[in-house]
PDB file of all heavy atoms in Angstrom:
ATOM      1  N   ALA A 151      18.376  -4.270  43.545  1.00  0.00           N
ATOM      2  CA  ALA A 151      18.497  -5.424  42.642  1.00  0.00           C
ATOM      3  C   ALA A 151      18.151  -5.083  41.199  1.00  0.00           C
ATOM      4  O   ALA A 151      18.335  -5.913  40.307  1.00  0.00           O
ATOM      5  CB  ALA A 151      17.612  -6.564  43.125  1.00  0.00           C
ATOM      6  N   TYR A 152      17.637  -3.869  40.961  1.00  0.00           N
ATOM      7  CA  TYR A 152      17.349  -3.407  39.591  1.00  0.00           C
ATOM      8  C   TYR A 152      17.903  -1.998  39.433  1.00  0.00           C
ATOM      9  O   TYR A 152      17.180  -1.037  39.182  1.00  0.00           O
ATOM     10  CB  TYR A 152      15.839  -3.446  39.317  1.00  0.00           C
ATOM     11  CG  TYR A 152      15.305  -4.849  39.156  1.00  0.00           C
ATOM     12  CD1 TYR A 152      14.895  -5.587  40.254  1.00  0.00           C
ATOM     13  CD2 TYR A 152      15.252  -5.448  37.897  1.00  0.00           C
ATOM     14  CE1 TYR A 152      14.432  -6.887  40.120  1.00  0.00           C
ATOM     15  CE2 TYR A 152      14.789  -6.741  37.743  1.00  0.00           C
ATOM     16  CZ  TYR A 152      14.382  -7.461  38.863  1.00  0.00           C
ATOM     17  OH  TYR A 152      13.930  -8.744  38.712  1.00  0.00           O
ATOM     18  N   ALA A 153      19.211  -1.920  39.554  1.00  0.00           N
ATOM     19  CA  ALA A 153      19.866  -0.619  39.634  1.00  0.00           C
ATOM     20  C   ALA A 153      19.862   0.141  38.317  1.00  0.00           C
ATOM     21  O   ALA A 153      19.559   1.340  38.273  1.00  0.00           O
ATOM     22  CB  ALA A 153      21.307  -0.794  40.116  1.00  0.00           C
ATOM     23  N   THR A 154      20.198  -0.522  37.217  1.00  0.00           N
ATOM     24  CA  THR A 154      20.402   0.236  35.986  1.00  0.00           C
ATOM     25  C   THR A 154      19.101   0.790  35.410  1.00  0.00           C
ATOM     26  O   THR A 154      19.098   1.872  34.820  1.00  0.00           O
ATOM     27  CB  THR A 154      21.131  -0.602  34.917  1.00  0.00           C
ATOM     28  OG1 THR A 154      20.366  -1.771  34.626  1.00  0.00           O
ATOM     29  CG2 THR A 154      22.514  -1.003  35.388  1.00  0.00           C
ATOM     30  N   ILE A 155      17.992   0.075  35.596  1.00  0.00           N
ATOM     31  CA  ILE A 155      16.736   0.618  35.080  1.00  0.00           C
ATOM     32  C   ILE A 155      16.329   1.841  35.893  1.00  0.00           C
ATOM     33  O   ILE A 155      15.744   2.788  35.359  1.00  0.00           O
ATOM     34  CB  ILE A 155      15.624  -0.455  35.072  1.00  0.00           C
ATOM     35  CG1 ILE A 155      14.397   0.040  34.309  1.00  0.00           C
ATOM     36  CG2 ILE A 155      15.251  -0.882  36.467  1.00  0.00           C
ATOM     37  CD1 ILE A 155      14.638   0.291  32.841  1.00  0.00           C
ATOM     38  N   ALA A 156      16.660   1.856  37.200  1.00  0.00           N
ATOM     39  CA  ALA A 156      16.383   3.035  38.015  1.00  0.00           C
ATOM     40  C   ALA A 156      17.208   4.224  37.531  1.00  0.00           C
ATOM     41  O   ALA A 156      16.697   5.343  37.394  1.00  0.00           O
ATOM     42  CB  ALA A 156      16.666   2.741  39.481  1.00  0.00           C
ATOM     43  N   LEU A 157      18.488   3.999  37.285  1.00  0.00           N
ATOM     44  CA  LEU A 157      19.339   5.062  36.756  1.00  0.00           C
ATOM     45  C   LEU A 157      18.828   5.557  35.414  1.00  0.00           C
ATOM     46  O   LEU A 157      18.745   6.764  35.156  1.00  0.00           O
ATOM     47  CB  LEU A 157      20.777   4.549  36.595  1.00  0.00           C
ATOM     48  CG  LEU A 157      21.575   4.288  37.866  1.00  0.00           C
ATOM     49  CD1 LEU A 157      22.861   3.559  37.520  1.00  0.00           C
ATOM     50  CD2 LEU A 157      21.877   5.597  38.575  1.00  0.00           C
ATOM     51  N   GLY A 158      18.491   4.609  34.543  1.00  0.00           N
ATOM     52  CA  GLY A 158      18.047   4.978  33.206  1.00  0.00           C
ATOM     53  C   GLY A 158      16.743   5.744  33.205  1.00  0.00           C
ATOM     54  O   GLY A 158      16.610   6.759  32.516  1.00  0.00           O
ATOM     55  N   LYS A 159      15.760   5.285  33.975  1.00  0.00           N
ATOM     56  CA  LYS A 159      14.470   5.973  33.992  1.00  0.00           C
ATOM     57  C   LYS A 159      14.576   7.341  34.658  1.00  0.00           C
ATOM     58  O   LYS A 159      13.851   8.276  34.282  1.00  0.00           O
ATOM     59  CB  LYS A 159      13.423   5.109  34.697  1.00  0.00           C
ATOM     60  CG  LYS A 159      13.038   3.847  33.928  1.00  0.00           C
ATOM     61  CD  LYS A 159      12.528   4.164  32.528  1.00  0.00           C
ATOM     62  CE  LYS A 159      12.057   2.900  31.812  1.00  0.00           C
ATOM     63  NZ  LYS A 159      11.604   3.163  30.415  1.00  0.00           N
ATOM     64  N   GLY A 160      15.477   7.477  35.637  1.00  0.00           N
ATOM     65  CA  GLY A 160      15.712   8.791  36.208  1.00  0.00           C
ATOM     66  C   GLY A 160      16.292   9.751  35.181  1.00  0.00           C
ATOM     67  O   GLY A 160      15.838  10.894  35.034  1.00  0.00           O
ATOM     68  N   GLY A 161      17.297   9.275  34.441  1.00  0.00           N
ATOM     69  CA  GLY A 161      17.886  10.110  33.395  1.00  0.00           C
ATOM     70  C   GLY A 161      16.907  10.428  32.289  1.00  0.00           C
ATOM     71  O   GLY A 161      16.872  11.543  31.769  1.00  0.00           O
ATOM     72  N   LEU A 162      16.080   9.435  31.940  1.00  0.00           N
ATOM     73  CA  LEU A 162      15.082   9.644  30.884  1.00  0.00           C
ATOM     74  C   LEU A 162      14.074  10.700  31.296  1.00  0.00           C
ATOM     75  O   LEU A 162      13.689  11.551  30.493  1.00  0.00           O
ATOM     76  CB  LEU A 162      14.378   8.321  30.586  1.00  0.00           C
ATOM     77  CG  LEU A 162      13.274   8.366  29.532  1.00  0.00           C
ATOM     78  CD1 LEU A 162      13.849   8.712  28.162  1.00  0.00           C
ATOM     79  CD2 LEU A 162      12.531   7.030  29.479  1.00  0.00           C
ATOM     80  N   ARG A 163      13.634  10.670  32.554  1.00  0.00           N
ATOM     81  CA  ARG A 163      12.667  11.657  33.012  1.00  0.00           C
ATOM     82  C   ARG A 163      13.254  13.061  32.943  1.00  0.00           C
ATOM     83  O   ARG A 163      12.606  13.996  32.465  1.00  0.00           O
ATOM     84  CB  ARG A 163      12.229  11.361  34.448  1.00  0.00           C
ATOM     85  CG  ARG A 163      11.197  12.382  34.948  1.00  0.00           C
ATOM     86  CD  ARG A 163      10.838  12.175  36.402  1.00  0.00           C
ATOM     87  NE  ARG A 163       9.804  13.119  36.814  1.00  0.00           N
ATOM     88  CZ  ARG A 163      10.036  14.369  37.191  1.00  0.00           C
ATOM     89  NH1 ARG A 163      11.292  14.840  37.197  1.00  0.00           N
ATOM     90  NH2 ARG A 163       9.044  15.160  37.548  1.00  0.00           N
ATOM     91  N   VAL A 164      14.490  13.230  33.409  1.00  0.00           N
ATOM     92  CA  VAL A 164      15.115  14.552  33.369  1.00  0.00           C
ATOM     93  C   VAL A 164      15.258  15.033  31.931  1.00  0.00           C
ATOM     94  O   VAL A 164      14.959  16.193  31.613  1.00  0.00           O
ATOM     95  CB  VAL A 164      16.486  14.520  34.071  1.00  0.00           C
ATOM     96  CG1 VAL A 164      17.231  15.830  33.850  1.00  0.00           C
ATOM     97  CG2 VAL A 164      16.308  14.271  35.564  1.00  0.00           C
ATOM     98  N   ALA A 165      15.704  14.150  31.055  1.00  0.00           N
ATOM     99  CA  ALA A 165      15.856  14.525  29.654  1.00  0.00           C
ATOM    100  C   ALA A 165      14.526  14.944  29.048  1.00  0.00           C
ATOM    101  O   ALA A 165      14.442  15.948  28.315  1.00  0.00           O
ATOM    102  CB  ALA A 165      16.450  13.363  28.852  1.00  0.00           C
ATOM    103  N   THR A 166      13.469  14.199  29.350  1.00  0.00           N
ATOM    104  CA  THR A 166      12.146  14.522  28.804  1.00  0.00           C
ATOM    105  C   THR A 166      11.666  15.876  29.308  1.00  0.00           C
ATOM    106  O   THR A 166      11.137  16.682  28.532  1.00  0.00           O
ATOM    107  CB  THR A 166      11.137  13.429  29.171  1.00  0.00           C
ATOM    108  OG1 THR A 166      11.611  12.154  28.689  1.00  0.00           O
ATOM    109  CG2 THR A 166       9.776  13.706  28.559  1.00  0.00           C
ATOM    110  N   VAL A 167      11.862  16.151  30.592  1.00  0.00           N
ATOM    111  CA  VAL A 167      11.449  17.448  31.141  1.00  0.00           C
ATOM    112  C   VAL A 167      12.220  18.584  30.485  1.00  0.00           C
ATOM    113  O   VAL A 167      11.649  19.630  30.127  1.00  0.00           O
ATOM    114  CB  VAL A 167      11.636  17.472  32.667  1.00  0.00           C
ATOM    115  CG1 VAL A 167      11.409  18.875  33.223  1.00  0.00           C
ATOM    116  CG2 VAL A 167      10.679  16.490  33.345  1.00  0.00           C
ATOM    117  N   LEU A 168      13.515  18.412  30.309  1.00  0.00           N
ATOM    118  CA  LEU A 168      14.328  19.450  29.674  1.00  0.00           C
ATOM    119  C   LEU A 168      13.857  19.734  28.248  1.00  0.00           C
ATOM    120  O   LEU A 168      13.710  20.901  27.842  1.00  0.00           O
ATOM    121  CB  LEU A 168      15.800  19.024  29.659  1.00  0.00           C
ATOM    122  CG  LEU A 168      16.530  19.021  31.005  1.00  0.00           C
ATOM    123  CD1 LEU A 168      17.885  18.359  30.854  1.00  0.00           C
ATOM    124  CD2 LEU A 168      16.691  20.441  31.541  1.00  0.00           C
ATOM    125  N   ILE A 169      13.616  18.671  27.482  1.00  0.00           N
ATOM    126  CA  ILE A 169      13.190  18.851  26.095  1.00  0.00           C
ATOM    127  C   ILE A 169      11.785  19.445  26.048  1.00  0.00           C
ATOM    128  O   ILE A 169      11.478  20.289  25.200  1.00  0.00           O
ATOM    129  CB  ILE A 169      13.280  17.523  25.319  1.00  0.00           C
ATOM    130  CG1 ILE A 169      14.714  16.986  25.355  1.00  0.00           C
ATOM    131  CG2 ILE A 169      12.832  17.706  23.871  1.00  0.00           C
ATOM    132  CD1 ILE A 169      14.845  15.545  24.883  1.00  0.00           C
ATOM    133  N   HIS A 170      10.921  19.012  26.973  1.00  0.00           N
ATOM    134  CA  HIS A 170       9.571  19.590  27.069  1.00  0.00           C
ATOM    135  C   HIS A 170       9.644  21.103  27.262  1.00  0.00           C
ATOM    136  O   HIS A 170       8.957  21.872  26.566  1.00  0.00           O
ATOM    137  CB  HIS A 170       8.834  18.941  28.239  1.00  0.00           C
ATOM    138  CG  HIS A 170       7.568  19.642  28.635  1.00  0.00           C
ATOM    139  ND1 HIS A 170       6.359  19.382  28.033  1.00  0.00           N
ATOM    140  CD2 HIS A 170       7.324  20.608  29.575  1.00  0.00           C
ATOM    141  CE1 HIS A 170       5.424  20.155  28.585  1.00  0.00           C
ATOM    142  NE2 HIS A 170       5.990  20.896  29.511  1.00  0.00           N
ATOM    143  N   LYS A 171      10.469  21.548  28.192  1.00  0.00           N
ATOM    144  CA  LYS A 171      10.567  22.979  28.485  1.00  0.00           C
ATOM    145  C   LYS A 171      11.119  23.759  27.291  1.00  0.00           C
ATOM    146  O   LYS A 171      10.727  24.896  27.056  1.00  0.00           O
ATOM    147  CB  LYS A 171      11.446  23.196  29.715  1.00  0.00           C
ATOM    148  CG  LYS A 171      10.798  22.736  31.017  1.00  0.00           C
ATOM    149  CD  LYS A 171      11.709  22.980  32.211  1.00  0.00           C
ATOM    150  CE  LYS A 171      11.015  22.611  33.516  1.00  0.00           C
ATOM    151  NZ  LYS A 171      11.892  22.838  34.698  1.00  0.00           N
ATOM    152  N   GLU A 172      12.006  23.130  26.557  1.00  0.00           N
ATOM    153  CA  GLU A 172      12.621  23.818  25.415  1.00  0.00           C
ATOM    154  C   GLU A 172      11.681  23.935  24.221  1.00  0.00           C
ATOM    155  O   GLU A 172      11.733  24.918  23.485  1.00  0.00           O
ATOM    156  CB  GLU A 172      13.898  23.089  25.003  1.00  0.00           C
ATOM    157  CG  GLU A 172      14.685  23.826  23.925  1.00  0.00           C
ATOM    158  CD  GLU A 172      16.142  23.439  23.887  1.00  0.00           C
ATOM    159  OE1 GLU A 172      16.621  22.780  24.825  1.00  0.00           O
ATOM    160  OE2 GLU A 172      16.801  23.804  22.904  1.00  0.00           O
ATOM    161  N   LEU A 173      10.794  22.938  24.035  1.00  0.00           N
ATOM    162  CA  LEU A 173      10.018  22.885  22.796  1.00  0.00           C
ATOM    163  C   LEU A 173       8.537  23.202  22.949  1.00  0.00           C
ATOM    164  O   LEU A 173       7.846  23.372  21.942  1.00  0.00           O
ATOM    165  CB  LEU A 173      10.158  21.494  22.162  1.00  0.00           C
ATOM    166  CG  LEU A 173      11.569  21.064  21.740  1.00  0.00           C
ATOM    167  CD1 LEU A 173      11.525  19.709  21.057  1.00  0.00           C
ATOM    168  CD2 LEU A 173      12.208  22.103  20.832  1.00  0.00           C
ATOM    169  N   LYS A 174       8.034  23.291  24.168  1.00  0.00           N
ATOM    170  CA  LYS A 174       6.583  23.448  24.348  1.00  0.00           C
ATOM    171  C   LYS A 174       6.046  24.717  23.719  1.00  0.00           C
ATOM    172  O   LYS A 174       4.897  24.744  23.248  1.00  0.00           O
ATOM    173  CB  LYS A 174       6.209  23.391  25.824  1.00  0.00           C
ATOM    174  CG  LYS A 174       6.747  24.532  26.663  1.00  0.00           C
ATOM    175  CD  LYS A 174       6.284  24.393  28.110  1.00  0.00           C
ATOM    176  CE  LYS A 174       6.801  25.543  28.963  1.00  0.00           C
ATOM    177  NZ  LYS A 174       6.315  25.442  30.366  1.00  0.00           N
ATOM    178  N   ASP A 175       6.825  25.784  23.702  1.00  0.00           N
ATOM    179  CA  ASP A 175       6.357  27.039  23.123  1.00  0.00           C
ATOM    180  C   ASP A 175       6.516  27.087  21.607  1.00  0.00           C
ATOM    181  O   ASP A 175       6.170  28.088  20.974  1.00  0.00           O
ATOM    182  CB  ASP A 175       7.088  28.229  23.757  1.00  0.00           C
ATOM    183  CG  ASP A 175       6.718  28.422  25.216  1.00  0.00           C
ATOM    184  OD1 ASP A 175       5.596  28.034  25.594  1.00  0.00           O
ATOM    185  OD2 ASP A 175       7.554  28.948  25.984  1.00  0.00           O
ATOM    186  N   GLU A 176       7.054  26.007  21.033  1.00  0.00           N
ATOM    187  CA  GLU A 176       7.233  25.937  19.584  1.00  0.00           C
ATOM    188  C   GLU A 176       6.277  24.930  18.951  1.00  0.00           C
ATOM    189  O   GLU A 176       6.453  24.542  17.795  1.00  0.00           O
ATOM    190  CB  GLU A 176       8.684  25.595  19.255  1.00  0.00           C
ATOM    191  CG  GLU A 176       9.660  26.649  19.774  1.00  0.00           C
ATOM    192  CD  GLU A 176      11.063  26.424  19.291  1.00  0.00           C
ATOM    193  OE1 GLU A 176      11.241  26.152  18.080  1.00  0.00           O
ATOM    194  OE2 GLU A 176      11.991  26.508  20.110  1.00  0.00           O
ATOM    195  N   GLY A 177       5.273  24.508  19.718  1.00  0.00           N
ATOM    196  CA  GLY A 177       4.247  23.632  19.169  1.00  0.00           C
ATOM    197  C   GLY A 177       4.579  22.161  19.203  1.00  0.00           C
ATOM    198  O   GLY A 177       3.840  21.351  18.630  1.00  0.00           O
ATOM    199  N   VAL A 178       5.666  21.795  19.870  1.00  0.00           N
ATOM    200  CA  VAL A 178       6.083  20.390  19.920  1.00  0.00           C
ATOM    201  C   VAL A 178       5.794  19.847  21.315  1.00  0.00           C
ATOM    202  O   VAL A 178       6.279  20.371  22.325  1.00  0.00           O
ATOM    203  CB  VAL A 178       7.577  20.228  19.592  1.00  0.00           C
ATOM    204  CG1 VAL A 178       7.972  18.748  19.619  1.00  0.00           C
ATOM    205  CG2 VAL A 178       7.885  20.841  18.226  1.00  0.00           C
ATOM    206  N   HIS A 179       4.976  18.799  21.362  1.00  0.00           N
ATOM    207  CA  HIS A 179       4.557  18.204  22.632  1.00  0.00           C
ATOM    208  C   HIS A 179       5.534  17.109  23.023  1.00  0.00           C
ATOM    209  O   HIS A 179       5.614  16.073  22.361  1.00  0.00           O
ATOM    210  CB  HIS A 179       3.147  17.631  22.484  1.00  0.00           C
ATOM    211  CG  HIS A 179       2.527  17.208  23.768  1.00  0.00           C
ATOM    212  ND1 HIS A 179       1.309  16.560  23.815  1.00  0.00           N
ATOM    213  CD2 HIS A 179       2.935  17.321  25.062  1.00  0.00           C
ATOM    214  CE1 HIS A 179       0.998  16.312  25.077  1.00  0.00           C
ATOM    215  NE2 HIS A 179       1.964  16.756  25.844  1.00  0.00           N
ATOM    216  N   VAL A 180       6.256  17.315  24.109  1.00  0.00           N
ATOM    217  CA  VAL A 180       7.222  16.343  24.615  1.00  0.00           C
ATOM    218  C   VAL A 180       6.786  15.938  26.020  1.00  0.00           C
ATOM    219  O   VAL A 180       6.573  16.796  26.885  1.00  0.00           O
ATOM    220  CB  VAL A 180       8.638  16.928  24.657  1.00  0.00           C
ATOM    221  CG1 VAL A 180       9.630  15.893  25.193  1.00  0.00           C
ATOM    222  CG2 VAL A 180       9.051  17.402  23.265  1.00  0.00           C
ATOM    223  N   ALA A 181       6.624  14.638  26.250  1.00  0.00           N
ATOM    224  CA  ALA A 181       6.141  14.163  27.544  1.00  0.00           C
ATOM    225  C   ALA A 181       6.527  12.713  27.750  1.00  0.00           C
ATOM    226  O   ALA A 181       6.787  11.978  26.794  1.00  0.00           O
ATOM    227  CB  ALA A 181       4.621  14.309  27.645  1.00  0.00           C
ATOM    228  N   SER A 182       6.549  12.315  29.025  1.00  0.00           N
ATOM    229  CA  SER A 182       6.762  10.912  29.363  1.00  0.00           C
ATOM    230  C   SER A 182       5.501  10.348  29.993  1.00  0.00           C
ATOM    231  O   SER A 182       4.742  11.062  30.648  1.00  0.00           O
ATOM    232  CB  SER A 182       7.937  10.753  30.337  1.00  0.00           C
ATOM    233  OG  SER A 182       7.633  11.343  31.591  1.00  0.00           O
ATOM    234  N   VAL A 183       5.290   9.065  29.768  1.00  0.00           N
ATOM    235  CA  VAL A 183       4.266   8.326  30.491  1.00  0.00           C
ATOM    236  C   VAL A 183       5.006   7.475  31.513  1.00  0.00           C
ATOM    237  O   VAL A 183       5.682   6.505  31.159  1.00  0.00           O
ATOM    238  CB  VAL A 183       3.417   7.443  29.563  1.00  0.00           C
ATOM    239  CG1 VAL A 183       2.428   6.619  30.385  1.00  0.00           C
ATOM    240  CG2 VAL A 183       2.681   8.294  28.541  1.00  0.00           C
ATOM    241  N   THR A 184       4.914   7.862  32.769  1.00  0.00           N
ATOM    242  CA  THR A 184       5.579   7.131  33.834  1.00  0.00           C
ATOM    243  C   THR A 184       4.673   5.984  34.275  1.00  0.00           C
ATOM    244  O   THR A 184       3.578   6.205  34.798  1.00  0.00           O
ATOM    245  CB  THR A 184       5.890   8.057  35.021  1.00  0.00           C
ATOM    246  OG1 THR A 184       6.828   9.048  34.592  1.00  0.00           O
ATOM    247  CG2 THR A 184       6.487   7.279  36.191  1.00  0.00           C
ATOM    248  N   ILE A 185       5.133   4.770  34.025  1.00  0.00           N
ATOM    249  CA  ILE A 185       4.328   3.568  34.272  1.00  0.00           C
ATOM    250  C   ILE A 185       4.592   3.084  35.688  1.00  0.00           C
ATOM    251  O   ILE A 185       5.692   2.627  36.012  1.00  0.00           O
ATOM    252  CB  ILE A 185       4.654   2.493  33.224  1.00  0.00           C
ATOM    253  CG1 ILE A 185       4.401   3.055  31.819  1.00  0.00           C
ATOM    254  CG2 ILE A 185       3.815   1.243  33.463  1.00  0.00           C
ATOM    255  CD1 ILE A 185       5.015   2.231  30.704  1.00  0.00           C
ATOM    256  N   ALA A 186       3.580   3.213  36.542  1.00  0.00           N
ATOM    257  CA  ALA A 186       3.735   2.936  37.967  1.00  0.00           C
ATOM    258  C   ALA A 186       3.266   1.519  38.279  1.00  0.00           C
ATOM    259  O   ALA A 186       2.209   1.291  38.866  1.00  0.00           O
ATOM    260  CB  ALA A 186       2.959   3.947  38.793  1.00  0.00           C
ATOM    261  N   GLY A 187       4.065   0.551  37.853  1.00  0.00           N
ATOM    262  CA  GLY A 187       3.714  -0.838  38.108  1.00  0.00           C
ATOM    263  C   GLY A 187       4.118  -1.724  36.952  1.00  0.00           C
ATOM    264  O   GLY A 187       4.532  -1.250  35.888  1.00  0.00           O
TER     265      GLY A 187
END
Side-chain angles (χ1 to χ4, degrees):
Y152 288 87
T154 59
I155 190 64
L157 289 170
K159 291 303 184 182
L162 178 65
R163 181 185 183 277
V164 171
T166 303
V167 172
L168 289 170
I169 302 167
H170 167 86
K171 290 180 176 180
E172 186 158 348
L173 298 184
K174 65 179 181 178
D175 292 333
E176 299 188 45
V178 181
H179 190 186
V180 180
S182 66
V183 176
T184 296
I185 303 165

